[in-house]
Amino acid sequence: MDYIRITEDNIDGEHICCAMSGKQSLVKKEWLRQRFAEGLVFYRSRERGKCFIEYIPAEHAWVPIQAEGYLYINCLWVSGSMKGHGYSNDLLAECIRDAKAQGRKGLCTLSAQGRKREFLSDPKYLAHKGFTTADTSVCGIELLYLPLVPCAEPPKFKDCAKQPIVEESGFVLYYTDQCPFTYYRVPRVVEAAKAHHIPLKVIHVTSREQAQNVPSPVTTYVLFRNGKFLTQGIQSDKKFLKLAGVEAQ
């Protein structure tokens, strides 16, 4: 398998694997474009399909963590016909090589206890590759890390991520443009909530500073209900209505 790095110079003409067509792709590409100067790397297979890794210096990551000196993996995704060929190993190896070249302490990323959750890294695969738990949120989401230098201090969650809670009643949704699926799904959830008179407050996170203080370990998409963390899985309108106890027509 051959791989290519997406940069400012080629992003307009290259696909970005996870993105849908049209505006969803453009929004995601613009988010990436603004991160390149901060050290973001998007590395994917030349063959079209979901086979890529996206990572960034943890100081610039859009998550509430304290991980100075680490690289943070936004997403490592290999799916469909790409699975089972060792491509995840290739992509992770490139990230490790880059981290060592930069003199980084190690890698870190988000996963979850016990099982693979939507839009989080696979805990079994990462454990196999040597990742261990650095910190855990009360909602079950973990900050995993792979140290690359001796005695590297583990990264950790900020307090707002360890105890994810909001004050508002009803549903509260935080999201960013980091994932193209939010562009497609969030407006449909908003429309469904309005149509069924379901209380929903939506916060569009548009800066790193804002993201690093979201009251959740996940910022790409997080849904609260009556103050409590509910899910980091991006909801369709039908799934949202089911969570709200409403039957979709």
Side-chain angles (χ1 to χ4, degrees):
M1 171 68 73
D2 291 328
Y3 299 92
I4 183 173
R5 179 170 174 173
I6 304 300
T7 67
E8 175 71 29
D9 294 331
N10 65 11
I11 190 170
D12 289 332
E14 296 289 347
H15 73 95
I16 50 173
C17 303
C18 62
M20 303 175 185
S21 61
K23 291 184 178 179
Q24 294 96 321
S25 174
L26 294 177
V27 170
K28 168 67 175 181
K29 283 187 173 183
E30 183 57 32
W31 188 90
L32 290 171
R33 196 191 311 276
Q34 294 177 17
R35 309 279 84 76
F36 287 137
E38 299 171 343
L40 182 139
V41 171
F42 192 102
Y43 191 67
R44 66 157 177 85
S45 63
R46 285 190 179 274
E47 183 179 342
R48 292 184 70 89
K50 295 180 177 65
C51 181
F52 71 98
I53 190 169
E54 178 185 317
Y55 59 88
I56 192 169
E59 298 86 348
H60 297 295
W62 282 42
V63 285
I65 60 175
Q66 294 175 332
E68 184 177 354
Y70 282 82
L71 287 183
Y72 176 79
I73 300 174
N74 287 333
C75 192
L76 171 58
W77 193 4
V78 178
S79 68
S81 63
M82 299 287 192
K83 291 182 69 67
H85 301 286
Y87 301 150
S88 292
N89 294 338
D90 293 346
L91 295 168
L92 183 59
E94 172 59 22
C95 183
I96 292 172
R97 183 207 63 77
D98 195 4
K100 290 179 177 179
Q102 293 183 38
R104 290 275 162 179
K105 296 177 182 177
L107 313 179
C108 60
T109 192
L110 296 183
S111 187
Q113 297 172 339
R115 61 180 177 85
K116 173 75 170 70
R117 288 197 197 178
E118 294 173 289
F119 301 97
L120 296 178
S121 297
D122 185 342
K124 291 183 179 179
Y125 173 74
L126 292 179
H128 174 70
K129 302 304 290 187
F131 283 75
T132 57
T133 301
D135 206 354
T136 304
S137 171
V138 297
C139 67
I141 293 175
E142 296 185 328
L143 179 61
L144 302 185
Y145 82 117
L146 179 69
L148 298 177
V149 297
C151 302
E153 181 180 358
K156 60 183 180 180
F157 285 125
K158 290 186 175 180
D159 289 342
C160 60
K162 286 184 69 71
Q163 303 285 338
I165 190 170
V166 296
E167 296 181 356
E168 295 90 343
S169 59
F171 288 93
V172 177
L173 169 62
Y174 287 83
Y175 78 98
T176 75
D177 294 328
Q178 184 175 345
C179 178
F181 294 101
T182 62
Y183 180 91
Y184 179 80
R185 296 294 186 187
V186 170
R188 286 158 177 76
V189 166
V190 171
E191 290 174 6
K194 288 181 179 179
H196 293 274
H197 308 288
I198 300 169
L200 172 65
K201 179 180 179 180
V202 178
I203 299 111
H204 186 191
V205 179
T206 58
S207 72
R208 181 181 74 245
E209 292 76 17
Q210 185 183 5
Q212 290 179 351
N213 290 284
V214 167
S216 164
V218 179
T219 64
T220 305
Y221 185 104
V222 57
L223 185 65
F224 293 86
R225 180 168 58 191
N226 295 328
K228 296 181 179 180
F229 176 96
L230 186 60
T231 181
Q232 84 296 327
I234 299 175
Q235 302 295 296
S236 66
D237 49 351
K238 291 183 178 179
K239 286 184 177 181
F240 172 75
L241 290 176
K242 186 176 181 180
L243 287 174
V246 176
E247 289 191 17
Q249 300 298 317

